[in-house]
Amino acid sequence: MGESEHPSMKRQAANIATSFLERTSRDGQNDVNPDFQKTPPASSLWQDKDNQESLTEQDGADFSSIFAKGHPRFFNQLSSGLDVIGLVGEWLTSTANTNMFTFEIAPVFTIMEEVLLKKMSTVLRWSHDESDGIFLAGGAMSNLYSILAARYKRFPEVKTQGVASFPRMVLFTSELGHYSIMKGAMVLGLGTDNVIPVKCNSRGKIISAELEASIIEAKQKGFVPLYVNATAGTTVYGAFDPLNDIADICEKHNLWMHVDAAWGGGLLMSQKHRYKLTGIERANSVTWNPHKIMGVPLQCSAILIHEKGLLQDCNKMGAQYLFQNDKLYDVSYDTGDKTILCGRHVDVFKFWLMWKAKGTSGFEKQINKCLELAEYLHSKLKRRNDFKLVFDDKPEHTNVCFWYIPPSLQEMPESAERDSQLHQVAPKIKARMMEEGSLMVGYQPQGHNVNFFRMVFSNPATNKSDVDFLIEELARLGKDL
């Protein structure tokens, strides 16, 4: 389709994008989603069009019903906000429309990826000579690669012989860790029964003694303890596992130590908060998602491996139509055989552009502000009678977990009946906020805790006034429950 054939289509697309951006800003409408109940049915989203302009017009109407995830009052996910510099990077990436498997078709992006991986390794305090990595499609994929690398490191023949030729391997992860470890075990043929959940303390951190006891028990059963997943910033509670203690146990029992820092990795950019990840430099691998608290547009996730060449050896298939050894350039820049994929989206340019524009200090200020907002919310809720915090102590990350207690329950004594009623409060408030489009906050149960709200801050556009609005809006939406 050429510009001469459809002169207005690009302008229409630009107008739609501009309108959406205005809706996510303070200068636009004050709604996270003003048209939730008007969202068209799926059947209306697919209609054959003879005219490209009418297609654009139809899609523009549908686009207005998309949640304004960049709005400063969207708190539903760990990734929120809309960084304009990153957005420009994503647009230019799409314009280039290239792939990341060989240097010859993505020379600049390949070099950018190498530069960024070295920068991230430096932040981890790893030497460039002993580190490697690759950008992948999300933290779940990065966690899967960590298991894949750990298994290959211990049993390299598994690449050709398969898991049936080897003893039963078991993995260990926090009982509050991300479910992607279970999925990774499933995909790699290890089986979810061979992922052993480790008990956590009251704040959601792995209990080191429980981890070691679980490893010893697995050995006694004749299993091969292979891998420990430690979490730096759990999804719900925002807890940081004791990384140094876990590293000691892994070294003692010869296990691969992975740190899932998808959510918490950004704190490494802050001199004030990076101490919470002390010990991460001892890990064999790290997952880090810049698309979360660092605000890079989705998706942008890296797996970092503390051994040069391991990813290549683990995944290499050497397809001759792509990876010839007699090219005119250094073929080590052909990174495609580091992955289990063939085609790979360019996720590095938007991140590179943002780091160049903001600098490390810019990311640090952004992250510190998010943590400050979490502390501000926590302190305000602590002083109110209609809210109850899940944890009284100051939040480690930007996660703040709490219940809204409507007037009908405030005088009711603690009981199973009260818990049953309180369990219904968060879903009902969530339904109302979605219908009104005033904000978005997630909720969930966790262990013995009935449904509670989980607030997370990752949008640099959010301010204290948004926190004040959140508190009053939740009370307004729930006061008659």
Side-chain angles (χ1 to χ4, degrees):
M1 182 182 69
E3 175 67 24
S4 60
E5 297 174 32
H6 298 282
S8 65
M9 190 162 186
K10 290 181 181 178
R11 289 194 297 272
Q12 288 176 328
N15 289 338
I16 291 168
T18 301
S19 176
F20 184 75
L21 286 171
E22 287 175 352
R23 185 155 68 83
T24 68
S25 72
R26 297 185 184 281
D27 298 328
Q29 300 177 34
N30 194 34
D31 296 305
V32 176
N33 181 31
D35 299 309
F36 176 76
Q37 292 184 312
K38 299 177 184 177
T39 301
S43 59
S44 72
L45 294 179
W46 179 259
Q47 298 175 12
D48 289 335
K49 297 286 183 178
D50 297 326
N51 184 301
Q52 288 290 343
E53 291 186 10
S54 63
L55 174 63
T56 306
E57 289 167 5
Q58 174 66 38
D59 286 351
D62 296 334
F63 205 75
S64 69
S65 297
I66 294 175
F67 280 98
K69 191 168 166 288
H71 195 285
R73 292 174 184 170
F74 179 95
F75 307 110
N76 209 65
Q77 259 68 50
L78 302 182
S79 54
S80 65
L82 186 59
D83 189 280
V84 175
I85 297 168
L87 178 61
V88 169
E90 186 65 56
W91 282 347
L92 294 174
T93 296
S94 296
T95 303
N97 193 31
T98 192
N99 211 315
M100 286 292 287
F101 43 56
T102 58
F103 178 82
E104 61 197 319
I105 63 167
V108 175
F109 294 141
T110 299
I111 298 298
M112 284 180 174
E113 182 172 60
E114 181 183 46
V115 168
L116 283 173
L117 290 168
K118 285 183 176 179
K119 287 279 288 184
M120 295 171 83
S121 295
T122 298
V123 173
L124 288 172
R125 295 175 180 167
W126 289 355
S127 165
H128 296 165
D129 295 335
E130 57 185 20
S131 61
D132 205 349
I134 200 101
F135 280 83
L136 296 167
M141 184 65 73
S142 296
N143 285 342
L144 183 146
Y145 271 63
S146 70
I147 303 170
L148 185 63
R151 187 179 66 177
Y152 178 80
K153 176 69 174 178
R154 186 73 170 269
F155 299 110
E157 296 85 1
V158 75
K159 182 175 177 179
T160 53
Q161 298 176 20
V163 293
S165 301
F166 296 90
R168 183 173 173 179
M169 294 171 259
V170 291
L171 318 176
F172 303 85
T173 188
S174 161
E175 62 180 346
L176 300 179
H178 197 265
Y179 68 91
S180 58
I181 302 302
M182 298 280 282
K183 281 202 170 186
M186 173 190 71
V187 170
L188 294 174
L190 298 173
T192 57
D193 286 349
N194 293 314
V195 179
I196 299 174
V198 181
K199 291 180 182 178
C200 295
N201 62 22
S202 59
R203 191 56 185 83
K205 302 170 183 285
I206 275 182
I207 301 171
S208 302
E210 293 283 349
L211 171 62
E212 185 159 29
S214 296
I215 292 171
I216 292 170
E217 182 181 359
K219 286 181 176 180
Q220 291 171 345
K221 291 179 178 178
F223 304 155
V224 176
L226 177 71
Y227 164 108
V228 174
N229 172 60
T231 308
T234 56
T235 305
V236 177
Y237 289 156
F240 290 79
D241 287 335
L243 301 184
N244 265 325
D245 291 347
I246 293 171
D248 289 342
I249 293 168
C250 288
E251 289 175 6
K252 178 179 177 181
H253 294 278
N254 190 32
L255 274 76
W256 180 283
M257 177 184 173
H258 175 66
V259 177
D260 179 1
W263 175 223
L267 272 63
L268 291 165
M269 306 293 282
S270 167
Q271 293 304 311
K272 182 178 180 180
H273 295 287
R274 70 166 291 139
Y275 75 92
K276 297 170 185 176
L277 294 94
T278 298
I280 195 170
E281 68 280 356
R282 299 173 64 186
N284 298 102
S285 57
V286 172
T287 290
W288 183 351
N289 284 10
H291 71 231
K292 289 193 165 75
I293 197 169
M294 294 177 73
V296 179
L298 287 162
Q299 293 194 90
C300 187
S301 176
I303 177 66
L304 297 142
I305 305 288
H306 207 171
E307 182 174 336
K308 197 80 167 178
L310 186 62
L311 277 176
Q312 182 86 0
D313 292 342
C314 178
N315 297 315
K316 182 178 180 180
M317 289 295 160
Q320 292 183 341
Y321 77 98
L322 287 174
F323 307 115
Q324 306 91 6
N325 290 320
D326 52 0
K327 294 182 178 181
L328 64 85
Y329 57 84
D330 181 353
V331 295
S332 67
Y333 286 106
D334 287 348
T335 58
D337 246 356
K338 288 184 182 182
T339 79
I340 59 175
L341 309 171
C342 182
R344 187 163 60 95
H345 185 261
V346 178
D347 291 324
V348 296
F349 181 58
K350 56 195 173 188
F351 186 24
W352 180 88
L353 201 63
M354 286 176 64
W355 206 330
K356 289 287 286 184
K358 294 173 182 284
T360 301
S361 63
F363 277 125
E364 180 174 20
K365 291 176 184 176
Q366 178 177 315
I367 289 160
N368 287 347
K369 179 187 174 185
C370 289
L371 270 292
E372 288 165 8
L373 287 173
E375 292 178 14
Y376 176 72
L377 172 61
H378 183 272
S379 66
K380 291 207 71 171
L381 294 181
K382 203 168 186 177
R383 297 194 296 268
R384 292 184 60 128
N385 295 325
D386 51 348
F387 289 87
K388 182 181 178 182
L389 290 158
V390 175
F391 302 111
D392 286 331
D393 53 317
K394 192 168 71 172
E396 284 191 296
H397 206 332
T398 74
N399 307 52
V400 181
C401 300
F402 59 89
W403 293 275
Y404 170 69
I405 314 294
S408 64
L409 298 180
Q410 289 175 18
E411 302 301 324
M412 186 181 292
E414 299 281 345
S415 65
E417 175 59 26
R418 183 182 186 275
D419 284 347
S420 176
Q421 292 188 38
L422 183 59
H423 188 63
Q424 301 173 50
V425 171
K428 289 178 179 178
I429 293 177
K430 177 67 176 284
R432 291 177 177 183
M433 75 172 70
M434 290 180 70
E435 289 170 351
E436 296 200 16
S438 55
L439 75 159
M440 280 278 280
V441 186
Y443 73 87
Q444 65 286 300
Q446 184 77 73
H448 66 277
N449 288 324
V450 299
N451 280 327
F452 57 88
F453 288 108
R454 179 208 64 172
M455 264 293 299
V456 284
F457 295 92
S458 59
N459 187 344
T462 302
N463 291 318
K464 288 183 178 179
S465 62
D466 300 302
V467 177
D468 296 337
F469 175 85
L470 161 84
I471 295 170
E472 298 304 326
E473 182 69 354
L474 289 176
R476 182 185 73 81
L477 293 170
K479 64 184 180 182
D480 64 338
L481 295 176

